[in-house]
Amino acid sequence: MNKSKVWHRLNPSQQSVINRIQAECPVKLGAIAQEFGLVVKLATLTANISGQIKESDGVVNIKINRHDVKTRQRYTLAHEIAHFLLHRELLGDGITDDVLYRSSQSTAIEREADSLAADIIMPMNHVERLIKKHSADKKGELLYEAVAEELDVSPTALKNRLDWN
Ligand SMILES: [Zn+2]
């Protein structure tokens, strides 16, 4: 199903939770977060910060910048869920992602989170179905926009996704 390399680091039960919720489009990220017991809050963060994830007393809290546009907030949530699934051991100190999804962690760590975020928020079966649907009457930018809108992501996120596959 065109999932990235990091997808295969998830255990079977994590994969099946995500696969089940991905039956619906756009993908309900809040439902995924809830299944994994994550506490998600919109918060007033500094303008150059998109999100944060931190574990304390066994609870994993995710904060999303309330001033970002909705598609960006969704991408941030997918990225933080990816950190939870891939980088649990780093969450005690917390990870703070800036607008470019860079943090004090290495570029490799951030790339892994971005790859899994794309798997979560833009499943290729939906992407391919929507491209087919909309390419009947749209092409170029308009096609990207129509597909991105149905996935509830930004056209830029979708373009990045397609470059990776
Ligand atoms: Zn990150």
Side-chain angles (χ1 to χ4, degrees), residues 79-80 83 95-97 101-103 109-110 113:
H79 180 99
E80 303 305 340
H83 275 313
I95 299 177
T96 298
D97 287 292
Y101 300 101
R102 290 189 192 127
S103 67
I109 291 279
E110 291 307 328

Side-chain angles (χ1 to χ4, degrees), residues 36-67:
F36 292 131
L38 309 174
V39 179
V40 181
K41 292 203 173 90
L42 290 178
T44 301
L45 302 174
T46 322
N48 64 329
I49 298 300
S50 286
Q52 285 180 329
I53 182 165
K54 191 171 185 353
E55 180 165 8
S56 50
D57 300 326
V59 181
V60 178
N61 289 284
I62 294 176
K63 287 182 187 172
I64 306 287
N65 194 328
R66 74 163 77 246
H67 299 295

Side-chain angles (χ1 to χ4, degrees), residues 71 130-131 134 138-159 162:
T71 50
L130 293 168
I131 287 176
H134 288 287
K138 292 183 186 74
K139 55 185 178 183
E141 287 298 314
L142 291 176
L143 176 58
Y144 279 125
E145 280 168 22
V147 173
E149 193 181 334
E150 290 217 42
L151 293 162
D152 206 359
V153 300
S154 71
T156 310
L158 178 64
K159 282 183 212 173
L162 295 172

